[in-house]
Amino acid sequence: MSQLTRNSLLALAITLAIIGTVLFAVNYLNQQRVAQLNDLQDRLATDTLSVETQFALLESAPCEDVAQGNTLSQEVSNLGDRLNVTESRLGSTDSQVVELKKQYTLLQIRDYLLTKRLSTTCKISPTVALYFYSNTPGACTDCDRASYALSYLHKTYPALRVYSFDYNLELGALKTLIAVKNVKPEFPAFVIDGKTTYGFTTLDEFEKNFPATLFATSTPTTTKK
Amino acid sequence: MDLTLLALPFIFITIYFESFLLVTFLSRPARERRAMVRGDYFPPVAVIVPCYNEENTIKGTIDSLLALNYPADKLSIVLVDDGSKDNTPAVMDGYSDHPQIMVIHKENGGKHTALNLGIERVPHAEFFGCLDADSFVDPDALAEIVGHFNNPSVAAVTAAMSVHEPKGILERMQNAEYIFGIALRHIISSVNGLYVTPGPFSFYRRSIIVELGGFRKGHNTEDLEMALRIQEAGYTIENAPRARVYTKTPTTVPSLVKQRVRWTTGFVRNVMFEYRGLIANPKFGTLGLVVLPLGLIAIVGGIFIFVLAVTQFIKSVINGYALISGVPLSYTFSPQWLNFDVFFIPVTGLILLSIIAMTGSVTLMIVGKRISRTPSSLFAGIIAYLLFYGMIAPLWLIRTVYDIVTGTKRSWR
């Protein structure tokens, strides 16, 4: 075997070994992410049980204790951020992603119901925004902008509760929520304090959908330009 | 489909080529060349210095040649003024009384004519070298080189080039690239794959060059054309990795682009139009099957990846602007990285493979510096290379393709 042939074959073997190692490493990291999400989800399942208990306790416990003890919203939001990253890596059709999204959606709906119950029983009035988007290519050109604006509003006005839903997710509870709120497949769609609106143009226009009390009573955490 | 995936074939080729270099570097022929020690062989040699308007650097070039550690009675220096219009002839005439130096003035006819005239005037020289008048040699460079003419089939020996006193980002970036080239030439020469004998201090066996008919214009790259002709004739080109030579490099981006367009168009025109028979020809081994095909692919790949990167960048800027417009900048630029979590690090196959490819390049630079024992610091050059080379190189690659397609011929300077 000539020197050139030998070197070429060895180089090819090394290249394939490098690429194989990289593919293995990336796959391993993605699986680690999914495992981490599963852990988080298991923890949230426990928290969900806690929510159920909180529902029961509402009858007798002082409202302020229940309201202060509800850390589920932040946990759900944290899970949502990680789920978004995982979805962008593995794709929205990946079976693990779909399963995680379903469980995440259920958690959001439960948290939403708890928030509603707290608001009526404890006489507190958080502003709630339900946000419906679609991942179908071309179905929602303004969804990224709407998501970003909602993130900004949530960060700036902590009293705002935001729940995001993939409209096309095959989940009975979500379909029921969509039917109850009578949300049409036009995106982005919002249900803000019970009122349904569609489309996103600018942040200023979008803010008009929210009650003035949100901006009057909350303490902004960032400064407007 | 994710368009960035289209870059994967080129990254595969890059890693393959780097692996090929690594394997060849560790193979016996390369190891033997690194182990070569300088002998007491001092044949008669000549150094030809073709000059055209080099009044600022010619003196340093001549002085560095006179400082070579080589028997004075065996070394002739031929200064050929190729019709300079500045003070170069006067500077050269200042050396006309020196016993080792011959000064020739001629009408401007191009570098190849100056070299051929110089070859004619040194019939006694067994070997002759060429030194551009913007380059300076290490005192031991010539003694290192002649030892590599140990086989009658060796027609040329190239030196180890780096940048003379690199200052500023652009020169340091080029220095890193040149030192990468030292490793590349050492490795590739061990399997006779060199396609250029660079102007700064490449040496030739005079009898073979005369037999091949001397230098040609070679699309303004006479050194490249000569190397291809040597290879086509079945001779070999060696490299002396410890024969250090320092050259001046362009100090502005436009002048660098102009120089590289000349080099790259010269490569493409010579290979595609004059020596096409070498490409993919097993008879020419590493040169025909690896170096020349990958050299052509690198031009296409460099442009493709650049266009892809620019397109993606513009797309990101437009999308990013649309995303944040209307939202206060204080939110957009809030230090969200304080909540850093390894979960969010964007690890993809493309990014990891790109990092591996870059690591391979940096490793070759370090190898080049070590085997040549080049003294200057390389750290800043590597940083500049990693940051800017990928943005500047496509400029000359794109212009090269434009010139080739439109048939545009540009002047040397």
Side-chain angles (χ1 to χ4, degrees), chain A residues 3-4 7-8 11-12 14-15 18-19 22 26 29 33 36 82 85-86 89 144-145 148 151-152 203 223-224, chain B residues 12 16 19-20 23-24 27 285-286 322-324 326-328 330-332 341 343-347 349 352 356:
Chain A
Q3 186 78 45
L4 174 61
N7 291 357
S8 302
L12 184 63
I14 291 172
T15 309
I18 288 172
I19 289 172
V22 165
V26 170
L29 285 172
R33 282 199 181 96
Q36 206 178 333
R82 284 160 197 269
V85 171
T86 310
R89 298 276 154 70
D144 286 342
R145 292 173 60 220
Y148 191 75
S151 298
Y152 158 70
L203 179 64
T223 311
K224 254 192 139 175
Chain B
F12 175 89
Y16 174 77
S19 303
F20 179 82
V23 170
T24 309
S27 66
T286 305
L323 193 72
I324 67 169
V327 174
S330 55
Y331 172 71
T332 302
D341 189 323
F343 188 94
F344 297 107
I345 297 176
V347 180
L352 285 180
I356 289 169

Side-chain angles (χ1 to χ4, degrees), chain B residues 257-299:
Chain B
V257 169
K258 188 173 172 61
Q259 179 199 52
R260 298 309 174 91
V261 167
R262 179 172 68 80
W263 290 2
T264 319
T265 51
F267 170 76
V268 176
R269 285 184 170 133
N270 278 303
V271 172
M272 295 298 291
F273 305 149
E274 317 292 341
Y275 295 93
R276 192 180 290 186
L278 272 62
I279 303 172
N281 188 338
K283 186 182 160 196
F284 298 101
T286 305
L287 180 77
L289 297 176
V290 180
V291 176
L292 295 182
L294 291 189
L296 294 170
I297 289 171
I299 295 171

Side-chain angles (χ1 to χ4, degrees), chain B residues 216-237:
Chain B
R216 297 174 189 163
K217 191 174 183 193
H219 301 284
N220 278 342
T221 45
E222 81 301 322
D223 46 4
L224 192 144
E225 192 278 336
M226 175 53 81
L228 291 174
R229 197 148 30 110
I230 287 170
Q231 292 279 14
E232 189 182 45
Y235 294 109
T236 57
I237 302 172

Side-chain angles (χ1 to χ4, degrees), chain A residues 105 109 132 165-169 171-179:
Chain A
T105 302
I109 294 173
F132 296 88
F165 301 103
D166 181 348
Y167 191 92
N168 301 312
L169 194 68
L171 181 69
L174 177 62
K175 297 292 175 202
T176 305
L177 180 67
I178 289 169

Side-chain angles (χ1 to χ4, degrees), chain A residues 12-187:
Chain A
L12 184 63
I14 291 172
T15 309
L16 293 176
I18 288 172
I19 289 172
T21 307
V22 165
L23 290 178
F24 176 80
V26 170
N27 186 52
Y28 177 79
L29 285 172
N30 283 336
Q31 289 308 314
Q32 288 294 103
R33 282 199 181 96
V34 171
Q36 206 178 333
L37 281 180
N38 278 326
D39 287 347
L40 189 58
Q41 200 148 283
D42 288 346
R43 213 165 64 231
L44 283 173
T46 309
D47 290 345
T48 309
L49 273 178
S50 171
V51 171
E52 307 287 354
T53 312
Q54 282 178 318
F55 272 126
L57 284 172
L58 269 176
E59 306 300 328
S60 56
C63 281
E64 56 271 26
D65 286 353
V66 174
Q68 284 168 6
N70 180 25
T71 57
L72 190 60
S73 294
Q74 188 51 44
E75 292 275 349
V76 170
S77 169
N78 188 6
L79 176 63
D81 291 342
R82 284 160 197 269
L83 188 55
N84 277 339
V85 171
T86 310
E87 186 175 356
S88 68
R89 298 276 154 70
L90 301 179
S92 56
T93 55
D94 182 90
S95 59
Q96 286 174 301
V97 169
V98 171
E99 199 52 41
L100 282 168
K101 270 182 91 170
K102 285 180 178 174
Q103 294 178 36
Y104 167 67
T105 302
L106 271 179
L107 282 170
Q108 283 200 110
I109 294 173
R110 280 170 182 238
D111 189 56
Y112 165 62
L113 293 174
L114 172 65
T115 302
K116 265 183 71 175
R117 185 133 181 210
L118 278 171
S119 66
T120 48
T121 310
C122 299
K123 307 270 189 300
I124 55 172
S125 52
T127 304
V128 174
L130 304 184
Y131 162 50
F132 296 88
Y133 63 90
S134 170
N135 278 340
T136 308
C140 183
T141 51
D142 292 326
C143 280
D144 286 342
R145 292 173 60 220
S147 297
Y148 191 75
L150 277 169
S151 298
Y152 158 70
L153 289 173
H154 173 61
K155 179 102 185 286
T156 310
Y157 306 104
L160 173 64
R161 297 280 178 88
V162 179
Y163 300 98
S164 308
F165 301 103
D166 181 348
Y167 191 92
N168 301 312
L169 194 68
E170 290 299 324
L171 181 69
L174 177 62
K175 297 292 175 202
T176 305
L177 180 67
I178 289 169
V180 167
K181 298 294 179 187
N182 197 21
V183 181
K184 291 181 282 186
E186 294 170 19
F187 308 107

